[in-house]
Amino acid sequence: KFVDALARNKTCKILDLRANKIGDAGAIAVSKSLEIKTSLTDLNLYENEIGDEGASRIADALKINKSLRNLNLGENDIGDGAVAIGNSLQHNTTLKALILQYNGIGAEGASRIADALEINKSLQNLNLYGNQIGAEGAGRIADALK
């Protein structure tokens, strides 16, 4: 019901759901509203026990959504979901800030995000603090930012 109401609402611009333990099921529900929601600009899903499945569905929504400017997925456990997020950033032209701190993202996820940075011209703030991207992932990100 909440997600249906959010999808229909035309005035809500900021939604802060941090620390609500929505998990993958909640992230999937939110992603459905992102696919049709046109007014939401800021979404905070910090510390919600979202895994790679939920992150992958949010990534799919980012390919379609044209209103979201700021997305905080920090302190979840998206791990391999970062690959899907990287892929979606190649198509998204509106997101300006993406917070992915403490998510168990490894070198492969960082590499996909780096691939996106070579194409994406809208992202201005990317936070990968506290992940496990290692020297390989950091090198790919650095190369993409040249």
Side-chain angles (χ1 to χ4, degrees):
K1 294 243 182 222
F2 172 76
V3 173
D4 292 336
L6 177 63
R8 287 190 305 271
N9 181 286
K10 302 295 183 213
T11 58
C12 183
K13 298 210 176 290
I14 300 169
L15 180 60
D16 188 344
L17 292 174
R18 80 185 122 174
N20 274 292
K21 299 182 180 181
I22 66 170
D24 283 337
I28 290 166
V30 169
S31 75
K32 290 176 183 176
S33 70
L34 284 176
E35 291 174 354
I36 56 175
K37 183 72 178 146
T38 59
S39 65
L40 196 65
T41 61
D42 295 75
L43 178 59
N44 189 343
L45 296 175
Y46 180 89
E47 196 178 9
N48 265 300
E49 301 176 2
I50 298 170
D52 61 346
E53 181 183 1
S56 293
R57 292 293 294 276
I58 288 171
D60 289 342
L62 288 177
K63 292 177 185 176
I64 299 166
N65 183 283
K66 301 297 181 213
S67 65
L68 200 63
R69 303 291 185 263
N70 302 296
L71 175 59
N72 187 342
L73 284 169
E75 292 270 352
N76 284 289
D77 190 25
I78 65 172
D80 291 339
V83 171
I85 289 172
N87 290 339
S88 73
L89 290 175
Q90 294 184 20
H91 304 280
N92 182 287
T93 59
T94 57
L95 199 65
K96 298 200 177 303
L98 178 59
I99 310 302
L100 296 173
Q101 69 190 36
Y102 291 110
N103 264 300
I105 297 170
E108 183 180 359
S111 183
R112 289 293 169 89
I113 291 169
D115 291 343
L117 291 175
E118 292 174 355
I119 297 168
N120 183 299
K121 302 302 179 205
S122 65
L123 195 64
Q124 298 171 355
N125 178 3
L126 174 63
N127 183 335
L128 289 168
Y129 180 80
N131 285 288
Q132 291 85 41
I133 66 173
E136 178 186 344
R140 284 285 296 119
I141 298 276
D143 288 344
L145 294 174
K146 290 181 181 175

